[in-house]
Amino acid sequence: MRAVHELSICTSLARIVEAHADGRVVEVVHLEVGYLRQVIPATLRYSWEIVVLDTPLAGSVLDINHIPAVLHCRDCDARTVIEVPVFRCGCGSVAVDVVGGEELLVTSLDLAGPRTLAPPRS
Amino acid sequence: MGRFHYHADGTGHSHDDDDHDHDSAHEHDHRHEGGVGDHSGYTTGGLRVDVLEKILGENDHTAEANRSDFAEAHVHVVNMMSSPGAGKTTLLREVLLHIGATLRVGIVEGDVETSIDADRLAGLGAPVSLINTANGFGGECHLDATMVRSALPRLPLADLDLLIIENVGNLVCPAEFDVGEDARAMVFSITEGEEKPLKYPVMFRSADLVVVNKIDLLPHLDFDLAAFYSNLRDVNPHVRTIETSAKTGLGVDDVCNWLRALADHG
């Protein structure tokens, strides 16, 4: 199979994590991934293992909080979690804004405790 | 199944080591059943560092740089997407032949490998800058803002009215990457099936124009055109659509007019 965009996402992610870790050992990378981002969590985790192999981030894992797709209706003000890709409010209006489900964020990192601190970068 | 699937109860899905859903926003139950990523005991007494960064922030930043270069050169840009074989390149050939000298068009041609598509567009008066995405992992499935940026020095941007970026044929990945375009056009062929907007809602929703191509084949197929439009409206209620046959030339003028309007007004 051809490369998937999860690999590109993990490459970008690794750069961000490395910058914030600043040489310290990362155990967990916490992410928010919206349903509308077409990212498959299992594929993302697998891609992460490939991308961080033989790097200081090897052994770190992704914790993926999968965020549902939520619409806000401009006509009736209702918020609706949609479970199929029909972008229409229960009231029938299509004047809806997507207010959840498009996240693709690194929220935080868990670093290893003091005993396993990596030596400072030279 | 497509990538857009939900599990309302957060469990009960049978396909491989898929996502662990969360019924309540931050109650993490870290069970990874089998396969990759079997990890327990995430809490280590270590340090939690807040990050809050967009993962594709760097791409977005480069896309803005592209956008700013396009604005400076007064060139408008359309990102053209479709599945493989929908007829992007054939349609583009027809567009270039029709639009002729009335609009100065440049092409960025994205392909996993080969220059076949770029060759098909050569000699029609439009400069073509080819990007082969094959590298390292065996070929990217999309163009990102950095790849498009690398193609720009080979084009006389300031002499163009319109830049058409022919993305890699794929209904999923290209939708995730802003490359600095003003508008997105999808080429959908009726040989693909009327359910496609529901299976690939992100790309169909992001489109400003959906070209319904190979319409000359309608009498020969079981394709339900009304159902297709209904599915498309569910995903993208106000999207402009144009029916075309790149083969017979039907609708090509309408596509040219849409592109002219984009070049004139953004």
Side-chain angles (χ1 to χ4, degrees):
Chain A
M1 195 185 155
R2 294 283 180 199
V4 290
H5 63 295
E6 280 89 347
L7 271 173
S8 310
I9 288 170
C10 283
T11 306
S12 302
L13 178 59
R15 279 199 289 271
I16 296 171
V17 173
E18 266 173 20
H20 285 269
D22 199 19
R24 295 168 293 182
V25 174
V26 177
E27 295 191 332
V28 186
V29 180
H30 297 278
L31 307 179
E32 285 190 356
V33 177
Y35 270 108
L36 293 170
R37 293 315 293 243
Q38 305 187 109
V39 171
I40 300 176
T43 309
L44 197 64
R45 282 197 288 269
Y46 177 65
S47 303
W48 181 250
E49 290 186 12
I50 294 170
V51 166
V52 301
L53 199 70
D54 296 328
T55 79
L57 294 173
S60 63
V61 296
L62 302 184
D63 172 45
I64 301 165
N65 189 8
H66 217 181
I67 311 283
V70 182
L71 303 181
H72 173 256
C73 178
R74 275 178 256 153
D75 288 329
C76 77
D77 209 33
R79 290 168 80 91
T80 314
V81 175
I82 53 168
E83 307 214 337
V84 290
V86 175
F87 292 79
R88 189 187 303 129
C89 180
C91 75
S93 171
V94 293
V96 293
D97 299 308
V98 174
V99 294
E102 291 183 328
E103 299 79 2
L104 192 55
L105 294 172
V106 194
T107 50
S108 60
L109 308 177
D110 289 350
L111 304 175
R115 280 165 303 164
T116 50
L117 264 184
R121 276 202 290 207
S122 54
Chain B
M1 280 196 69
R3 292 179 176 227
F4 194 101
H5 46 244
Y6 295 98
H7 308 284
D9 60 353
T11 56
H13 45 281
S14 57
H15 40 276
D16 63 51
D17 175 25
D18 210 336
D19 51 298
H20 56 272
D21 286 319
H22 303 282
D23 283 337
S24 57
H26 291 283
E27 224 173 63
H28 295 205
D29 174 17
H30 299 290
R31 286 172 295 114
H32 301 256
E33 287 142 36
V36 288
D38 181 15
H39 310 283
S40 54
Y42 279 169
T43 50
T44 58
L47 186 62
R48 160 98 31 127
V49 180
D50 288 332
V51 178
L52 271 184
E53 260 191 53
K54 287 183 178 178
I55 297 175
L56 295 180
E58 197 178 307
N59 183 75
D60 294 348
H61 185 77
T62 307
E64 282 312 315
N66 291 350
R67 200 163 269 129
S68 143
D69 286 359
F70 297 147
E72 199 172 313
H74 301 289
V75 59
H76 289 95
V77 182
V78 59
N79 186 355
M80 199 174 171
M81 304 184 286
S82 81
S83 58
K88 282 192 303 299
T89 310
T90 308
L91 183 67
L92 212 43
R93 262 189 72 86
E94 289 303 309
V95 163
L96 290 178
L97 288 167
H98 275 68
I99 224 159
T102 62
L103 206 63
R104 298 169 301 173
V105 183
I107 310 279
V108 171
E109 175 66 46
D111 240 322
V112 176
E113 282 182 87
T114 80
S115 63
I116 293 170
D117 282 0
D119 297 343
R120 287 169 68 196
L121 295 174
L124 298 176
V128 180
S129 182
L130 173 68
I131 306 171
N132 276 144
T133 64
N135 65 17
F137 289 114
E140 287 283 11
C141 45
H142 60 268
L143 294 180
D144 66 22
T146 304
M147 292 185 233
V148 168
R149 193 158 189 76
S150 74
L152 299 184
R154 298 194 294 273
L155 289 168
L157 275 194
D159 299 332
L160 299 178
D161 303 308
L162 180 72
L163 181 65
I164 301 177
I165 298 170
E166 186 179 345
N167 217 311
V168 179
N170 183 320
L171 288 182
V172 178
C173 312
E176 296 290 329
F177 295 86
D178 180 9
V179 296
E181 70 270 31
D182 298 302
R184 287 183 171 188
M186 270 189 84
V187 180
F188 168 83
S189 84
I190 63 168
T191 55
E192 295 176 60
E194 57 271 353
E195 77 293 349
K196 285 294 181 289
L198 301 179
K199 285 189 175 173
Y200 303 96
V202 176
M203 186 176 286
F204 278 97
R205 185 165 173 81
S206 77
D208 300 290
L209 168 70
V210 175
V211 173
V212 183
N213 196 26
K214 305 191 188 178
I215 201 78
D216 54 301
L217 294 178
L218 198 55
H220 310 289
L221 302 172
D222 292 330
F223 185 78
D224 186 340
L225 194 60
F228 168 75
Y229 282 123
S230 167
N231 293 338
L232 180 62
R233 299 292 168 212
D234 278 348
V235 171
N236 192 344
H238 305 297
V239 67
R240 172 82 197 278
T241 59
I242 299 173
E243 294 179 2
T244 60
S245 165
K247 201 175 163 190
T248 68
L250 181 84
V252 172
D253 277 341
D254 291 334
V255 175
C256 291
N257 288 337
W258 185 85
L259 291 170
R260 258 186 219 105
L262 180 74
D264 289 346
H265 310 294

